Amino acid sequence: MRKINLKLIRKKHGLTQAKLCELVGYNQGFVSLMERGKVSVPEVFIQKLVKALKIEDIEEFIEEIHEEVKDTPEPVPYPEIKKASMGERILDIIERYEQKIENLEARIRELENENEKLKHAQAHAHKK
C-alpha cells in the first residue's frame, strides 16, 4: 500500500467524494477513512482510480502526488481498524440483544402473573 493524499487527488480532478466512489466502485465510508488517513489506500483502489481518471502512467502519477504530500500522516492498515471496530460492533450488538432478552423475560413474567390473576378470578367467579 502506498501513502497518498486521496482528497488532494480527488479535488485536483474536480470530483466530489460521491462521484469518486461511483467511478471506482467503493463505498463512501471507506473512501472517507482513506481521505482522512485513517486507513491505507489499497493498490487495487489506486489501479481503479488511475483507470477511472484515464491516467496513463501510474508511477508518474504516484510520484507527482508523493511530492505534494510530504506531511500526510501515516495511515493505519485497514484490517487492524476493521477488526477492532468489528469487535466493538459485535459487543454492542450482544449488549443490545441481552437487554432485549431481559425486557422480554420481564414481559413474560408480567403476562404469567396476569394469567394467574385471571385464573384466580375465574375460579372465584365459578364458586359464587
Side-chain angles (χ1 to χ4, degrees), residues 26-88:
Y26 276 69
N27 84 33
Q28 200 161 351
F30 187 65
V31 170
S32 176
L33 288 173
M34 288 187 287
E35 282 192 356
R36 290 181 284 139
K38 300 293 183 187
V39 297
S40 298
V41 180
E43 283 294 321
V44 67
F45 181 90
I46 294 171
Q47 291 167 0
K48 287 182 178 190
L49 179 64
V50 165
K51 186 175 180 181
L53 298 178
K54 296 181 174 78
I55 296 166
E56 294 188 23
D57 185 350
I58 187 171
E59 292 304 321
E60 184 179 311
F61 172 69
I62 295 299
E63 282 305 312
E64 176 186 325
I65 298 305
H66 275 270
E67 290 302 311
E68 298 177 19
V69 294
K70 301 259 189 227
D71 60 342
T72 300
E74 199 62 43
V76 176
Y78 178 67
E80 291 176 24
I81 288 179
K82 188 174 181 180
K83 286 178 189 172
S85 63
M86 181 65 75
E88 290 170 5

